[in-house]
């Protein structure tokens, strides 16, 4: 394992500013708002802020506050943050992001999770925290061969935790990190103490009897799932079918990359008019800058291609997972892209020990509502002991 510090060359930042200044802007249909995508005037203003006011060096310094490493697993350099708790009995915890996330999602929660004593918490709920960049994402760099699907990433994470000397640990995931965490828990149940997720997808199996006991709220959530899988999943269909074609545009145009990710932060968060209602502008741009500065828009999209047969569509739900052999905690944030239905989850996940319904937050809870995120993982720590 090699120590690692983020140090983006000055010329890369100058190139970004030049490209933003020379953007060739499209027209738009007046009055469309967000219905056809990111509004032109909003994106122009956001791009200008990125060019003239956003401070990557400050974000870089904040990322570098945490110990980072690179280790080669299965032929790929894996980047990860590793922050050990000062509490000797802390439980190891691996946090897996998805798309369009990054390790920057977790910057606000690492210290409260590792050092609850200093953040108003119970020191018995402390975690040692490991935050890897998915292969092909950010500082884990592009993958160079096919086959890096969810199962392969899960095996890499199992190997990573073993190399770190963690015999028993907890796995958390959001977005694609949910699939990764559930998969590694099934593969490595003798070492995984429990799995904690937000954005659990619970499609119906197709058996009409399964729907008989659902209530009005449950059917509303089925409607959310259908809307997400149908009208809101254009990004997913492109990345799952033509990731290389998409890569040329997003790798060459920072405004293209900006729009591609900003749309999701507006659509999937607890925001009203703009994404900054849910996350700060600088948080949003740090996440997007990681994709741009590492040129991983295309390589991150490849993961969707690798798992295309597992993704939901308007007509076909994803395959049902086998029963999970470890304890499961589920956090539900009301403004997520889709919300799970407990009556459909329990037969598939018989070991649910914690199910929390929050009244605020969305798809990126560690950024949007870090206090709630930390609170839920601390209580899950206790639930595992019961």
């Amino acid at each position: 394992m090699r120590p690692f510090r983020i140090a983006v060359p000055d010329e890369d930042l100058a190139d970004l500013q030049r490209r933003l200044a020379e953007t060739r802007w499209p027209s738009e249909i007046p009055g469309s708002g967000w219905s056809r995508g990111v509004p032109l005037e909003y994106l122009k203003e956001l791009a200008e802020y990125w060019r003239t006011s956003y401070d990557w060096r400050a974000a870089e310094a904040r990322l570098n506050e945490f110990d980072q490493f690179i280790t080669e697993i299965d032929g790929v350099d894996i980047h990860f943050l590793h922050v050990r708790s000062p509490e000797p009995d802390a439980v190891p915890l691996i946090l897996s992001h998805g798309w369009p996330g990054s390790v920057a999602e977790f910057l606000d929660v690492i210290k409260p999770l590792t050092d609850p004593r200093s953040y108003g918490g119970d020191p018995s709920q402390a975690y040692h925290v490991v935050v890897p960049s998915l292969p092909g994402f950010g500082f884990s760099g592009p993958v160079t061969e096919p086959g890096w699907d969810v199962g392969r990433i899960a095996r890499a994470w199992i190997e990573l935790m073993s190399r770190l000397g963690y015999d028993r640990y907890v796995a958390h995931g959001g977005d694609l990190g949910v699939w990764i965490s559930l998969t590694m828990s099934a593969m490595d149940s003798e070492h995984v103490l429990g799995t904690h997720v937000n954005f659990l997808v619970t499609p119906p199996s197709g058996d009409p009897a399964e729907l008989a006991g659902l209530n009005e709220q449950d059917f509303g959530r089925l409607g959310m799932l259908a809307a997400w899988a149908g009208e809101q999943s254009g990004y997913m269909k492109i990345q799952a079918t033509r990731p290389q074609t998409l890569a040329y545009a997003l790798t060459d145009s920072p405004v293209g990359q900006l729009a591609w990710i900003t749309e999701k932060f507006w659509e999937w968060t607890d925001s009203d008019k703009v994404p900054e209602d849910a996350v700060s502008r600088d948080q949003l741009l740090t996440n997007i800058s990681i994709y741009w500065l590492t040129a991983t828009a295309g390589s991150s999209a490849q993961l969707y291609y690798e798992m295309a047969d597992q993704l939901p569509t308007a007509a076909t739900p994803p395959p049902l997972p086998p029963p999970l052999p470890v304890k499961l905690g589920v956090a539900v944030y009301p403004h997520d892209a889709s919300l799970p239905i407990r009556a459909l989850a329990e037969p598939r996940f018989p070991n649910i020990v914690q199910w929390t319904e929050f009244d605020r937050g969305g798809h990126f809870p560690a950024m949007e509502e870090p206090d709630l995120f930390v609170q839920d993982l601390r209580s899950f720590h206790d639930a595992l002991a019961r």
Side-chain angles (χ1 to χ4, degrees), residues 263-311:
E263 179 188 275
K264 298 306 149 198
F265 271 81
W266 173 77
E267 204 163 54
W268 297 345
T269 60
D270 190 355
S271 57
D272 180 17
K273 296 180 180 179
V274 292
E276 295 97 302
D277 294 335
V279 300
S280 74
R281 180 166 285 195
D282 284 354
Q283 283 179 309
L284 173 64
L285 290 174
T286 294
N287 187 70
I288 294 169
S289 294
I290 289 173
Y291 280 84
W292 174 259
L293 294 170
T294 59
T296 49
S299 58
S300 62
Q302 298 289 343
L303 178 52
Y304 283 85
Y305 187 91
E306 298 290 351
M307 58 182 293
D309 61 341
Q310 300 174 37
L311 298 172

